[in-house]
Amino acid sequence: MLTLSELQRDFRLAMLADDDRIASLVAGDGLEPAARLALYRHHVLDTLTDALKSTFPVVCRLVDERFFRYVADRYIRECPPDGPCLFEFGSSFPRFIGELSPARELVYLADVALLEWALNRARHAEDAAPIDPGALRAVPPESVPSIVFQLEPSLTLLRSPWPIDRLWRANQPDGEGTVDLDAGGAWLEVRRAGDDVGFRALDPATHAFRAAIAGSEPLGDAADAALGVDPRFDLAAALHALLDDGVVIGLSVNGLPKKES
Amino acid sequence: MISRREATGGTHSAGRGTLGAGIGVREPHVAEILAGRPAVGWLEAHPENYMGGGPPVRRLEELRRDYPIALHGVGLSLGTAAPLDRRHLGRLAALVKSIEPAIVSEHLSWSIAGGAYLNHLLPLPYTDEALAVVADHVDEVQQTLGRRIALENPSSYLRFRHSTIDEAAFLTEIARRTGCAILCDVNNVFVSSRNLGFDPSAYLDALPASHVTEIHLAGHSVNDADGAPILIDDHGSRVADEVWQLYRHALELFGPVPTIVEWDTNLPTLDVLLDEAACARRLLDAAAGAPADAHAV
């Protein structure tokens, strides 16, 4: 007789791997054990597919529902959720769908999926209060380049060589029109402000600046990253905008300021 | 082990009979409930939908200002042989602390194997081993939350050959060992009775009435599986007539215990759902008024 742990291991195989070895433990009672297991399997796969569809509606529209369900089925079997909060399920789906050979010619698909994942994250992120911009004045001038900002948890900086913002908009329920794939890339900031989740385009230098800050790089390095993209980057203005947008929720000074000797 | 403290705790320490009839609250109805504040006894929410932050949590807190809330978990996987997911239990404890629900409930089932969450309330073999696992996990949850939980009977599409205990006796023994309450889902009893071939009234008769602190009602569908009819607990329609009949029997046995109507698929307009709750309410009122009512506290 199987232990409970072994039974659950084998039941999982029936749900995710079409392996019905557990059927020998299931009573028939007028219906084949395999048919009984299939009822459970359909529910597992259907509801998890629906969860992915609700997180990635634009991807579903781009590839059509039938193909989406096929990809979702493979994904669920290979990368099942690791916890019961389904709004957290699907973080690796963008990469998975991008690497799947039938979808590879839709070169922008993985990036659109990343945008949808960022929107989903923003929707469920913790609320966080922005710092008072005056907090910056308390930092001694020589330490300013070493400031590390903490940004609010709903924020994601995303860039793509494809116009994923236009693709996303054109594939909303009320969206229309076609998107020129040669229209250029997208430098996006995704966040939630109040209850409103959305994204906006940034210029490439500002995007590089904020992405570096979001990656916990000190202010000096973030400025260098932005200047590397555009030598006309205005650090003072970018810093003001960052604080005015209310996305900074904390700051610390990274290490000791360098002393001139 | 939490002793057999009566009922529910929390700010709404509503005992049996005072919450009346309520509905499972689903996202598409939240705005309408907040705007109209319909007269309904209480609301039940799945905690797993409120374990992040932001708008969903704020709206649950708003609902909580006007209604008693039950937190009805689907994710603890009390029947998994492996240890409980402590992170999930911690998140539940935090939500319980902030929402102060009238009732916290979970299922007699399992959903997690090898770290994978299978998003279904999967069946247990009713054995001594499973009994020990579930009782330990219920103990751990009650210790962590510092309160009693209610355990719900699942809907079943199969049974294991090596089960040695029937489900009602299994639930009864868990309640006896842990002091937990029982959430009797009358629709689940009906669905399982048809799918597995047992008498649903006898099942209700076998439950310890004093432990039943909540009842669930929902719709099911009748499907065809290889030529045999199989009932699917899809929460996608009105409560079936046979289930209302069984509910009347449950009220005779358990008294006018707080009742929730659940509806999850093919979600109707809010007034249809409220109408179902009003039907339950009328039966509850009748049960409360009946002279034979020796159960209400």
mmCIF file of all heavy atoms in Angstrom, chain A residues 84-85 87, chain B residues 23-27 43-52 56 60 69-75 88 92 95 105-107 117 119 121 152 183 216 235 260 262-264:
data_model
loop_
_atom_site.group_PDB
_atom_site.id
_atom_site.type_symbol
_atom_site.label_atom_id
_atom_site.label_comp_id
_atom_site.label_asym_id
_atom_site.label_seq_id
_atom_site.Cartn_x
_atom_site.Cartn_y
_atom_site.Cartn_z
ATOM 1 N N PRO A 84 -0.482 28.813 -3.654
ATOM 2 C CA PRO A 84 -1.903 28.940 -3.972
ATOM 3 C C PRO A 84 -2.374 30.329 -4.397
ATOM 4 O O PRO A 84 -3.535 30.475 -4.746
ATOM 5 C CB PRO A 84 -2.586 28.518 -2.671
ATOM 6 C CG PRO A 84 -1.608 28.815 -1.605
ATOM 7 C CD PRO A 84 -0.243 28.710 -2.212
ATOM 8 N N CYS A 85 -1.514 31.336 -4.366
ATOM 9 C CA CYS A 85 -1.963 32.667 -4.804
ATOM 10 C C CYS A 85 -1.747 32.771 -6.310
ATOM 11 O O CYS A 85 -0.620 32.972 -6.775
ATOM 12 C CB CYS A 85 -1.198 33.757 -4.065
ATOM 13 S SG CYS A 85 -1.554 33.755 -2.303
ATOM 14 N N PHE A 87 -2.387 34.919 -8.497
ATOM 15 C CA PHE A 87 -1.877 36.150 -9.122
ATOM 16 C C PHE A 87 -0.344 36.146 -9.147
ATOM 17 O O PHE A 87 0.275 36.973 -9.793
ATOM 18 C CB PHE A 87 -2.423 37.402 -8.418
ATOM 19 C CG PHE A 87 -2.023 37.543 -6.965
ATOM 20 C CD1 PHE A 87 -0.815 38.107 -6.613
ATOM 21 C CD2 PHE A 87 -2.872 37.094 -5.960
ATOM 22 C CE1 PHE A 87 -0.455 38.239 -5.284
ATOM 23 C CE2 PHE A 87 -2.522 37.220 -4.630
ATOM 24 C CZ PHE A 87 -1.303 37.797 -4.283
ATOM 25 N N ILE B 23 -23.286 35.608 1.007
ATOM 26 C CA ILE B 23 -22.829 35.162 -0.313
ATOM 27 C C ILE B 23 -21.306 35.144 -0.366
ATOM 28 O O ILE B 23 -20.636 35.876 0.352
ATOM 29 C CB ILE B 23 -23.348 36.080 -1.449
ATOM 30 C CG1 ILE B 23 -22.863 37.523 -1.249
ATOM 31 C CG2 ILE B 23 -24.877 36.022 -1.518
ATOM 32 C CD1 ILE B 23 -23.160 38.438 -2.438
ATOM 33 N N GLY B 24 -20.796 34.276 -1.221
ATOM 34 C CA GLY B 24 -19.379 34.309 -1.545
ATOM 35 C C GLY B 24 -19.142 35.534 -2.405
ATOM 36 O O GLY B 24 -19.847 35.738 -3.395
ATOM 37 N N VAL B 25 -18.199 36.380 -2.013
ATOM 38 C CA VAL B 25 -17.986 37.626 -2.764
ATOM 39 C C VAL B 25 -16.899 37.394 -3.809
ATOM 40 O O VAL B 25 -15.835 36.868 -3.508
ATOM 41 C CB VAL B 25 -17.680 38.809 -1.821
ATOM 42 C CG1 VAL B 25 -16.435 38.574 -1.003
ATOM 43 C CG2 VAL B 25 -17.553 40.106 -2.593
ATOM 44 N N ARG B 26 -17.253 37.738 -5.070
ATOM 45 C CA ARG B 26 -16.314 37.556 -6.172
ATOM 46 C C ARG B 26 -16.022 38.917 -6.793
ATOM 47 O O ARG B 26 -16.894 39.792 -6.831
ATOM 48 C CB ARG B 26 -16.891 36.600 -7.224
ATOM 49 C CG ARG B 26 -17.296 35.244 -6.660
ATOM 50 C CD ARG B 26 -16.121 34.415 -6.141
ATOM 51 N NE ARG B 26 -16.565 33.176 -5.533
ATOM 52 C CZ ARG B 26 -16.482 32.907 -4.218
ATOM 53 N NH1 ARG B 26 -15.967 33.800 -3.380
ATOM 54 N NH2 ARG B 26 -16.899 31.756 -3.745
ATOM 55 N N GLU B 27 -14.829 39.045 -7.315
ATOM 56 C CA GLU B 27 -14.311 40.337 -7.780
ATOM 57 C C GLU B 27 -15.311 41.155 -8.613
ATOM 58 O O GLU B 27 -15.515 42.343 -8.339
ATOM 59 C CB GLU B 27 -13.001 40.104 -8.551
ATOM 60 C CG GLU B 27 -11.916 41.121 -8.277
ATOM 61 C CD GLU B 27 -12.196 42.445 -8.944
ATOM 62 O OE1 GLU B 27 -12.632 42.451 -10.125
ATOM 63 O OE2 GLU B 27 -11.999 43.484 -8.277
ATOM 64 N N LEU B 43 -20.456 38.125 4.233
ATOM 65 C CA LEU B 43 -19.773 37.846 2.976
ATOM 66 C C LEU B 43 -18.618 36.885 3.244
ATOM 67 O O LEU B 43 -17.996 36.925 4.303
ATOM 68 C CB LEU B 43 -19.207 39.135 2.368
ATOM 69 C CG LEU B 43 -20.205 40.258 2.093
ATOM 70 C CD1 LEU B 43 -19.463 41.529 1.674
ATOM 71 C CD2 LEU B 43 -21.200 39.842 1.015
ATOM 72 N N GLU B 44 -18.366 36.047 2.247
ATOM 73 C CA GLU B 44 -17.245 35.124 2.377
ATOM 74 C C GLU B 44 -16.259 35.373 1.241
ATOM 75 O O GLU B 44 -16.659 35.525 0.092
ATOM 76 C CB GLU B 44 -17.757 33.682 2.315
ATOM 77 C CG GLU B 44 -16.684 32.667 2.649
ATOM 78 C CD GLU B 44 -17.262 31.263 2.710
ATOM 79 O OE1 GLU B 44 -17.431 30.657 1.646
ATOM 80 O OE2 GLU B 44 -17.565 30.803 3.815
ATOM 81 N N ALA B 45 -14.981 35.423 1.570
ATOM 82 C CA ALA B 45 -13.952 35.704 0.565
ATOM 83 C C ALA B 45 -12.861 34.640 0.647
ATOM 84 O O ALA B 45 -12.593 34.096 1.715
ATOM 85 C CB ALA B 45 -13.349 37.091 0.808
ATOM 86 N N HIS B 46 -12.220 34.384 -0.496
ATOM 87 C CA HIS B 46 -11.063 33.478 -0.518
ATOM 88 C C HIS B 46 -9.819 34.285 -0.151
ATOM 89 O O HIS B 46 -9.444 35.206 -0.882
ATOM 90 C CB HIS B 46 -10.871 32.871 -1.903
ATOM 91 C CG HIS B 46 -11.977 31.950 -2.316
ATOM 92 N ND1 HIS B 46 -12.440 30.947 -1.494
ATOM 93 C CD2 HIS B 46 -12.707 31.872 -3.446
ATOM 94 C CE1 HIS B 46 -13.410 30.295 -2.114
ATOM 95 N NE2 HIS B 46 -13.601 30.842 -3.294
ATOM 96 N N PRO B 47 -9.152 33.948 0.940
ATOM 97 C CA PRO B 47 -8.000 34.751 1.364
ATOM 98 C C PRO B 47 -6.886 34.803 0.319
ATOM 99 O O PRO B 47 -6.166 35.800 0.239
ATOM 100 C CB PRO B 47 -7.527 34.050 2.647
ATOM 101 C CG PRO B 47 -8.157 32.703 2.648
ATOM 102 C CD PRO B 47 -9.429 32.837 1.880
ATOM 103 N N GLU B 48 -6.776 33.754 -0.507
ATOM 104 C CA GLU B 48 -5.691 33.710 -1.494
ATOM 105 C C GLU B 48 -5.750 34.875 -2.478
ATOM 106 O O GLU B 48 -4.749 35.213 -3.107
ATOM 107 C CB GLU B 48 -5.731 32.383 -2.276
ATOM 108 C CG GLU B 48 -5.371 31.163 -1.446
ATOM 109 C CD GLU B 48 -6.473 30.745 -0.482
ATOM 110 O OE1 GLU B 48 -7.628 31.211 -0.632
ATOM 111 O OE2 GLU B 48 -6.180 29.959 0.441
ATOM 112 N N ASN B 49 -6.930 35.480 -2.631
ATOM 113 C CA ASN B 49 -7.051 36.614 -3.554
ATOM 114 C C ASN B 49 -6.636 37.935 -2.913
ATOM 115 O O ASN B 49 -6.621 38.968 -3.578
ATOM 116 C CB ASN B 49 -8.503 36.747 -4.039
ATOM 117 C CG ASN B 49 -8.933 35.554 -4.863
ATOM 118 O OD1 ASN B 49 -8.092 34.868 -5.451
ATOM 119 N ND2 ASN B 49 -10.225 35.288 -4.905
ATOM 120 N N TYR B 50 -6.327 37.890 -1.620
ATOM 121 C CA TYR B 50 -6.055 39.139 -0.901
ATOM 122 C C TYR B 50 -4.717 39.072 -0.180
ATOM 123 O O TYR B 50 -4.528 39.682 0.857
ATOM 124 C CB TYR B 50 -7.197 39.422 0.091
ATOM 125 C CG TYR B 50 -8.535 39.485 -0.614
ATOM 126 C CD1 TYR B 50 -9.343 38.364 -0.706
ATOM 127 C CD2 TYR B 50 -8.946 40.653 -1.249
ATOM 128 C CE1 TYR B 50 -10.549 38.404 -1.395
ATOM 129 C CE2 TYR B 50 -10.148 40.704 -1.933
ATOM 130 C CZ TYR B 50 -10.945 39.580 -2.007
ATOM 131 O OH TYR B 50 -12.128 39.631 -2.694
ATOM 132 N N MET B 51 -3.786 38.317 -0.731
ATOM 133 C CA MET B 51 -2.505 38.150 -0.063
ATOM 134 C C MET B 51 -1.400 38.991 -0.694
ATOM 135 O O MET B 51 -0.247 38.875 -0.304
ATOM 136 C CB MET B 51 -2.127 36.672 -0.025
ATOM 137 C CG MET B 51 -3.016 35.928 0.959
ATOM 138 S SD MET B 51 -2.566 34.203 1.138
ATOM 139 C CE MET B 51 -3.639 33.736 2.505
ATOM 140 N N GLY B 52 -1.753 39.788 -1.672
ATOM 141 C CA GLY B 52 -0.818 40.783 -2.162
ATOM 142 C C GLY B 52 -1.146 42.088 -1.458
ATOM 143 O O GLY B 52 -1.429 42.104 -0.261
ATOM 144 N N PRO B 56 -7.204 45.245 -4.344
ATOM 145 C CA PRO B 56 -8.046 44.158 -3.826
ATOM 146 C C PRO B 56 -8.135 44.173 -2.303
ATOM 147 O O PRO B 56 -9.226 44.015 -1.737
ATOM 148 C CB PRO B 56 -7.338 42.882 -4.324
ATOM 149 C CG PRO B 56 -6.513 43.313 -5.485
ATOM 150 C CD PRO B 56 -6.107 44.727 -5.196
ATOM 151 N N LEU B 60 -11.426 44.801 0.190
ATOM 152 C CA LEU B 60 -11.871 43.848 1.220
ATOM 153 C C LEU B 60 -12.010 44.569 2.565
ATOM 154 O O LEU B 60 -12.961 44.334 3.315
ATOM 155 C CB LEU B 60 -10.881 42.676 1.327
ATOM 156 C CG LEU B 60 -11.268 41.577 2.326
ATOM 157 C CD1 LEU B 60 -12.577 40.895 1.908
ATOM 158 C CD2 LEU B 60 -10.153 40.532 2.468
ATOM 159 N N ILE B 69 -17.142 39.249 7.730
ATOM 160 C CA ILE B 69 -16.470 38.541 6.636
ATOM 161 C C ILE B 69 -16.051 37.162 7.133
ATOM 162 O O ILE B 69 -15.575 37.017 8.250
ATOM 163 C CB ILE B 69 -15.198 39.308 6.202
ATOM 164 C CG1 ILE B 69 -15.544 40.724 5.707
ATOM 165 C CG2 ILE B 69 -14.404 38.524 5.163
ATOM 166 C CD1 ILE B 69 -16.038 40.829 4.302
ATOM 167 N N ALA B 70 -16.220 36.163 6.279
ATOM 168 C CA ALA B 70 -15.608 34.861 6.529
ATOM 169 C C ALA B 70 -14.445 34.707 5.564
ATOM 170 O O ALA B 70 -14.551 35.092 4.402
ATOM 171 C CB ALA B 70 -16.618 33.746 6.302
ATOM 172 N N LEU B 71 -13.342 34.189 6.055
ATOM 173 C CA LEU B 71 -12.224 33.869 5.170
ATOM 174 C C LEU B 71 -12.246 32.362 4.929
ATOM 175 O O LEU B 71 -12.087 31.570 5.864
ATOM 176 C CB LEU B 71 -10.896 34.312 5.783
ATOM 177 C CG LEU B 71 -10.690 35.831 5.852
ATOM 178 C CD1 LEU B 71 -9.355 36.165 6.519
ATOM 179 C CD2 LEU B 71 -10.745 36.470 4.460
ATOM 180 N N HIS B 72 -12.453 32.007 3.669
ATOM 181 C CA HIS B 72 -12.631 30.603 3.298
ATOM 182 C C HIS B 72 -11.460 30.173 2.428
ATOM 183 O O HIS B 72 -11.435 30.434 1.228
ATOM 184 C CB HIS B 72 -13.965 30.472 2.546
ATOM 185 C CG HIS B 72 -14.285 29.079 2.135
ATOM 186 N ND1 HIS B 72 -14.252 28.018 3.008
ATOM 187 C CD2 HIS B 72 -14.664 28.549 0.934
ATOM 188 C CE1 HIS B 72 -14.590 26.916 2.369
ATOM 189 N NE2 HIS B 72 -14.830 27.208 1.108
ATOM 190 N N GLY B 73 -10.477 29.544 3.054
ATOM 191 C CA GLY B 73 -9.243 29.224 2.350
ATOM 192 C C GLY B 73 -9.373 28.043 1.409
ATOM 193 O O GLY B 73 -10.142 27.111 1.655
ATOM 194 N N VAL B 74 -8.630 28.118 0.319
ATOM 195 C CA VAL B 74 -8.554 26.985 -0.600
ATOM 196 C C VAL B 74 -7.113 26.504 -0.773
ATOM 197 O O VAL B 74 -6.861 25.553 -1.491
ATOM 198 C CB VAL B 74 -9.137 27.325 -1.997
ATOM 199 C CG1 VAL B 74 -10.618 27.618 -1.906
ATOM 200 C CG2 VAL B 74 -8.403 28.492 -2.636
ATOM 201 N N GLY B 75 -6.167 27.163 -0.091
ATOM 202 C CA GLY B 75 -4.769 26.905 -0.413
ATOM 203 C C GLY B 75 -3.908 26.260 0.654
ATOM 204 O O GLY B 75 -2.731 26.000 0.406
ATOM 205 N N HIS B 88 2.619 30.538 3.381
ATOM 206 C CA HIS B 88 1.198 30.752 3.125
ATOM 207 C C HIS B 88 0.427 30.897 4.434
ATOM 208 O O HIS B 88 -0.434 31.780 4.569
ATOM 209 C CB HIS B 88 0.640 29.603 2.290
ATOM 210 C CG HIS B 88 -0.792 29.818 1.901
ATOM 211 N ND1 HIS B 88 -1.179 30.845 1.079
ATOM 212 C CD2 HIS B 88 -1.923 29.185 2.258
ATOM 213 C CE1 HIS B 88 -2.493 30.816 0.941
ATOM 214 N NE2 HIS B 88 -2.971 29.819 1.647
ATOM 215 N N LEU B 92 -1.809 34.023 5.732
ATOM 216 C CA LEU B 92 -3.193 33.875 6.208
ATOM 217 C C LEU B 92 -3.337 34.488 7.596
ATOM 218 O O LEU B 92 -4.306 35.208 7.871
ATOM 219 C CB LEU B 92 -3.585 32.391 6.225
ATOM 220 C CG LEU B 92 -5.001 32.101 6.733
ATOM 221 C CD1 LEU B 92 -6.058 32.716 5.809
ATOM 222 C CD2 LEU B 92 -5.243 30.596 6.877
ATOM 223 N N LEU B 95 -3.596 38.205 7.372
ATOM 224 C CA LEU B 95 -4.895 38.646 6.859
ATOM 225 C C LEU B 95 -5.981 38.491 7.928
ATOM 226 O O LEU B 95 -6.836 39.371 8.097
ATOM 227 C CB LEU B 95 -5.250 37.843 5.602
ATOM 228 C CG LEU B 95 -6.402 38.383 4.759
ATOM 229 C CD1 LEU B 95 -6.068 39.743 4.161
ATOM 230 C CD2 LEU B 95 -6.768 37.407 3.635
ATOM 231 N N SER B 105 -12.234 29.228 7.525
ATOM 232 C CA SER B 105 -12.498 27.835 7.164
ATOM 233 C C SER B 105 -11.506 27.351 6.112
ATOM 234 O O SER B 105 -10.845 28.155 5.435
ATOM 235 C CB SER B 105 -13.933 27.686 6.652
ATOM 236 O OG SER B 105 -14.175 28.594 5.614
ATOM 237 N N GLU B 106 -11.416 26.034 5.998
ATOM 238 C CA GLU B 106 -10.568 25.386 4.992
ATOM 239 C C GLU B 106 -11.218 24.064 4.601
ATOM 240 O O GLU B 106 -12.326 23.779 5.054
ATOM 241 C CB GLU B 106 -9.143 25.168 5.532
ATOM 242 C CG GLU B 106 -8.098 26.122 4.926
ATOM 243 C CD GLU B 106 -7.773 25.857 3.450
ATOM 244 O OE1 GLU B 106 -8.216 24.830 2.906
ATOM 245 O OE2 GLU B 106 -7.054 26.682 2.846
ATOM 246 N N HIS B 107 -10.529 23.299 3.769
ATOM 247 C CA HIS B 107 -11.143 22.092 3.204
ATOM 248 C C HIS B 107 -10.475 20.813 3.670
ATOM 249 O O HIS B 107 -9.268 20.783 3.904
ATOM 250 C CB HIS B 107 -11.077 22.158 1.676
ATOM 251 C CG HIS B 107 -11.897 23.262 1.099
ATOM 252 N ND1 HIS B 107 -11.429 24.561 1.009
ATOM 253 C CD2 HIS B 107 -13.169 23.272 0.614
ATOM 254 C CE1 HIS B 107 -12.381 25.318 0.466
ATOM 255 N NE2 HIS B 107 -13.431 24.571 0.225
ATOM 256 N N TYR B 117 1.420 23.332 -6.637
ATOM 257 C CA TYR B 117 0.051 23.621 -6.210
ATOM 258 C C TYR B 117 -0.880 23.307 -7.371
ATOM 259 O O TYR B 117 -0.790 23.919 -8.439
ATOM 260 C CB TYR B 117 -0.080 25.091 -5.799
ATOM 261 C CG TYR B 117 -1.507 25.470 -5.484
ATOM 262 C CD1 TYR B 117 -2.122 25.008 -4.326
ATOM 263 C CD2 TYR B 117 -2.245 26.264 -6.349
ATOM 264 C CE1 TYR B 117 -3.438 25.333 -4.041
ATOM 265 C CE2 TYR B 117 -3.561 26.595 -6.078
ATOM 266 C CZ TYR B 117 -4.153 26.122 -4.920
ATOM 267 O OH TYR B 117 -5.455 26.440 -4.646
ATOM 268 N N ASN B 119 -4.211 23.497 -7.670
ATOM 269 C CA ASN B 119 -5.428 24.303 -7.834
ATOM 270 C C ASN B 119 -6.708 23.469 -7.910
ATOM 271 O O ASN B 119 -7.586 23.727 -8.729
ATOM 272 C CB ASN B 119 -5.332 25.197 -9.081
ATOM 273 C CG ASN B 119 -6.313 26.358 -9.012
ATOM 274 O OD1 ASN B 119 -6.490 26.929 -7.944
ATOM 275 N ND2 ASN B 119 -6.959 26.690 -10.104
ATOM 276 N N LEU B 121 -9.292 20.876 -5.095
ATOM 277 C CA LEU B 121 -9.457 20.278 -3.768
ATOM 278 C C LEU B 121 -9.484 18.763 -3.981
ATOM 279 O O LEU B 121 -10.511 18.180 -4.287
ATOM 280 C CB LEU B 121 -10.739 20.808 -3.126
ATOM 281 C CG LEU B 121 -10.744 22.344 -3.016
ATOM 282 C CD1 LEU B 121 -12.138 22.878 -2.726
ATOM 283 C CD2 LEU B 121 -9.750 22.818 -1.956
ATOM 284 N N GLU B 152 -14.292 21.998 5.850
ATOM 285 C CA GLU B 152 -15.387 21.695 4.917
ATOM 286 C C GLU B 152 -15.214 20.342 4.237
ATOM 287 O O GLU B 152 -14.118 20.003 3.778
ATOM 288 C CB GLU B 152 -15.464 22.792 3.837
ATOM 289 C CG GLU B 152 -16.557 22.518 2.801
ATOM 290 C CD GLU B 152 -16.604 23.535 1.680
ATOM 291 O OE1 GLU B 152 -16.169 24.684 1.878
ATOM 292 O OE2 GLU B 152 -17.083 23.171 0.592
ATOM 293 N N LEU B 183 -17.695 22.818 8.559
ATOM 294 C CA LEU B 183 -18.459 23.574 7.571
ATOM 295 C C LEU B 183 -19.101 22.534 6.671
ATOM 296 O O LEU B 183 -18.399 21.856 5.911
ATOM 297 C CB LEU B 183 -17.507 24.488 6.769
ATOM 298 C CG LEU B 183 -18.096 25.588 5.892
ATOM 299 C CD1 LEU B 183 -16.975 26.340 5.188
ATOM 300 C CD2 LEU B 183 -19.120 25.133 4.897
ATOM 301 N N HIS B 216 -22.646 25.573 3.529
ATOM 302 C CA HIS B 216 -22.479 26.107 2.175
ATOM 303 C C HIS B 216 -23.549 25.535 1.254
ATOM 304 O O HIS B 216 -23.900 24.358 1.360
ATOM 305 C CB HIS B 216 -21.119 25.700 1.594
ATOM 306 C CG HIS B 216 -20.035 26.682 1.864
ATOM 307 N ND1 HIS B 216 -18.744 26.510 1.411
ATOM 308 C CD2 HIS B 216 -20.038 27.866 2.532
ATOM 309 C CE1 HIS B 216 -18.001 27.538 1.801
ATOM 310 N NE2 HIS B 216 -18.758 28.371 2.479
ATOM 311 N N HIS B 235 -20.332 25.303 -9.110
ATOM 312 C CA HIS B 235 -20.768 26.595 -8.564
ATOM 313 C C HIS B 235 -21.176 27.534 -9.687
ATOM 314 O O HIS B 235 -20.818 28.707 -9.682
ATOM 315 C CB HIS B 235 -19.653 27.253 -7.738
ATOM 316 C CG HIS B 235 -19.252 26.475 -6.534
ATOM 317 N ND1 HIS B 235 -18.311 26.929 -5.629
ATOM 318 C CD2 HIS B 235 -19.659 25.279 -6.071
ATOM 319 C CE1 HIS B 235 -18.151 26.027 -4.670
ATOM 320 N NE2 HIS B 235 -18.952 25.021 -4.909
ATOM 321 N N ILE B 260 -23.764 30.266 3.588
ATOM 322 C CA ILE B 260 -23.218 31.031 2.467
ATOM 323 C C ILE B 260 -23.623 30.360 1.162
ATOM 324 O O ILE B 260 -23.529 29.138 1.032
ATOM 325 C CB ILE B 260 -21.671 31.093 2.542
ATOM 326 C CG1 ILE B 260 -21.196 32.032 3.643
ATOM 327 C CG2 ILE B 260 -21.050 31.484 1.198
ATOM 328 C CD1 ILE B 260 -21.332 33.515 3.341
ATOM 329 N N GLU B 262 -22.479 30.050 -2.613
ATOM 330 C CA GLU B 262 -21.306 30.287 -3.458
ATOM 331 C C GLU B 262 -21.687 30.206 -4.932
ATOM 332 O O GLU B 262 -22.505 29.374 -5.326
ATOM 333 C CB GLU B 262 -20.243 29.208 -3.199
ATOM 334 C CG GLU B 262 -19.684 29.173 -1.800
ATOM 335 C CD GLU B 262 -18.670 28.046 -1.654
ATOM 336 O OE1 GLU B 262 -19.096 26.871 -1.724
ATOM 337 O OE2 GLU B 262 -17.482 28.340 -1.506
ATOM 338 N N TRP B 263 -21.049 31.061 -5.719
ATOM 339 C CA TRP B 263 -21.266 31.035 -7.176
ATOM 340 C C TRP B 263 -19.964 31.506 -7.811
ATOM 341 O O TRP B 263 -19.528 32.638 -7.549
ATOM 342 C CB TRP B 263 -22.442 31.938 -7.558
ATOM 343 C CG TRP B 263 -23.079 31.599 -8.862
ATOM 344 C CD1 TRP B 263 -22.456 31.274 -10.030
ATOM 345 C CD2 TRP B 263 -24.496 31.537 -9.129
ATOM 346 N NE1 TRP B 263 -23.371 31.010 -11.004
ATOM 347 C CE2 TRP B 263 -24.628 31.167 -10.492
ATOM 348 C CE3 TRP B 263 -25.650 31.761 -8.380
ATOM 349 C CZ2 TRP B 263 -25.886 31.020 -11.107
ATOM 350 C CZ3 TRP B 263 -26.892 31.619 -8.989
ATOM 351 C CH2 TRP B 263 -27.006 31.247 -10.340
ATOM 352 N N ASP B 264 -19.322 30.635 -8.603
ATOM 353 C CA ASP B 264 -17.979 30.961 -9.111
ATOM 354 C C ASP B 264 -17.846 30.992 -10.621
ATOM 355 O O ASP B 264 -17.068 31.765 -11.152
ATOM 356 C CB ASP B 264 -16.953 29.956 -8.568
ATOM 357 C CG ASP B 264 -16.702 30.167 -7.095
ATOM 358 O OD1 ASP B 264 -16.011 31.133 -6.760
ATOM 359 O OD2 ASP B 264 -17.229 29.394 -6.276
#
